[in-house]
Amino acid sequence: MHKEAVVAGQAVYTKKVLSIYDLWVLGFSNHYLWKCPTTLIGRKFEELVSINHLDVGVGTGYYLKNHLSQVERRVGLVDLNENSLDSTANAIQHFKPEIYRANVLEPLSLGCDKFDSISINYLLHCLPGSFSEKGVIFEYLKEVLNDGGILFGSTILGQGVPKNMFAEKLMNFYNSKGIFSNSNDDLSTLKLALEKNFSNVNIHVVGCVALFSGINKS
């Protein structure tokens, strides 16, 4: 069931949707609905990204396009959606990115050298199940992260965060359509899922958004 839900959830990211994603989600929604400015997520990305980096759930590749300094670096991309992979790979082609099409709720088996940092922005709230279920993603991602490497990202919480009327309605709509699956996502269960796999876990909630990070302790 979860595999079908993952496939259905990522299918919404057509070329047409991706063409307006940055404007609608990162421009309007983050600022007015989720109350977490995209610039804040971007600054956190710049602070934690390494020169040996894997981006998971790439979307349009916004943070890679706008917050990666032009130094020589290794960049990997993981997503199930071919449109997202193609669009992002094209936008950062100067980095010659490694492209991996995979379902993150299954063992990744990328068959490549490990990475020093992994970013996972705005993917968790799209994955089906509770954090106790979809938190398996952290188990799989740590397998491709070097010892001492950092995993970081952001997710929109459905519980325990302030939501204005418009945010509440849109979140409910997204959940009803299978675009989001975060009705029961809260800070405590996110923290438990992260601490099961990482040390030095840090979570900062801004509006409806949790910005998190953890160090590979394996």
Side-chain angles (χ1 to χ4, degrees):
M1 174 60 185
H2 279 182
K3 184 173 182 179
E4 293 175 357
V6 170
V7 172
Q10 62 84 39
V12 69
Y13 295 101
T14 61
K15 291 180 180 179
K16 183 176 181 180
V17 168
L18 288 172
S19 71
I20 63 169
Y21 180 91
D22 288 357
L23 181 64
W24 171 246
V25 176
L26 303 181
F28 179 83
S29 298
N30 273 358
H31 189 76
Y32 294 104
L33 302 179
W34 316 136
K35 301 294 185 178
C36 180
T38 299
T39 52
L40 185 63
I41 303 174
R43 285 200 299 270
K44 183 61 66 174
F45 184 95
E46 290 179 359
E47 176 187 334
L48 299 177
V49 70
S50 73
I51 60 170
N52 179 24
H53 182 70
L54 179 68
D55 193 66
V56 179
V58 300
T60 64
Y62 177 86
Y63 299 105
L64 297 171
K65 290 184 292 185
N66 295 284
H67 296 280
L68 276 186
S69 59
Q70 301 303 310
V71 299
E72 185 175 347
R73 67 175 74 233
R74 176 189 181 211
V75 179
L77 308 175
V78 170
D79 205 297
L80 189 58
N81 187 287
E82 290 187 17
N83 293 322
S84 291
L85 288 171
D86 290 345
S87 174
T88 300
N90 184 63
I92 61 164
Q93 57 183 304
H94 51 291
F95 288 120
K96 299 179 181 177
E98 301 169 21
I99 302 170
Y100 305 100
R101 186 168 184 261
N103 178 356
V104 293
L105 292 183
E106 297 177 347
L108 294 176
S109 302
L110 301 185
C112 64
D113 291 339
K114 295 184 178 183
F115 295 87
D116 293 323
S117 60
I118 296 176
S119 56
I120 172 175
N121 283 303
Y122 278 25
L123 175 62
L124 287 171
H125 58 250
C126 299
L127 298 178
S130 63
F131 278 132
S132 62
E133 299 170 291
K134 60 189 172 186
V136 71
I137 185 177
F138 298 132
E139 178 182 335
Y140 297 147
L141 289 177
K142 69 181 291 185
E143 294 301 318
V144 297
L145 184 64
N146 281 317
D147 289 348
I150 188 168
L151 175 139
F152 65 93
S154 55
T155 188
I156 300 171
L157 300 177
Q159 294 291 327
V161 290
K163 287 177 278 188
N164 60 40
M165 179 180 69
F166 300 105
E168 183 84 45
K169 287 183 178 296
L170 186 62
M171 196 177 295
N172 289 339
F173 173 76
Y174 282 169
N175 273 278
S176 72
K177 296 297 184 181
I179 299 170
F180 279 12
S181 184
N182 71 339
S183 295
N184 297 312
D185 289 1
D186 63 10
L187 178 59
S188 61
T189 50
L190 172 61
K191 187 170 184 285
L192 283 172
L194 282 164
E195 290 181 339
K196 184 178 179 181
N197 294 284
F198 301 99
S199 60
N200 301 96
V201 169
N202 182 277
I203 306 176
H204 180 48
V205 178
V206 179
C208 297
V209 178
L211 296 97
F212 57 84
S213 64
I215 304 297
N216 190 7
K217 63 182 181 181
S218 61

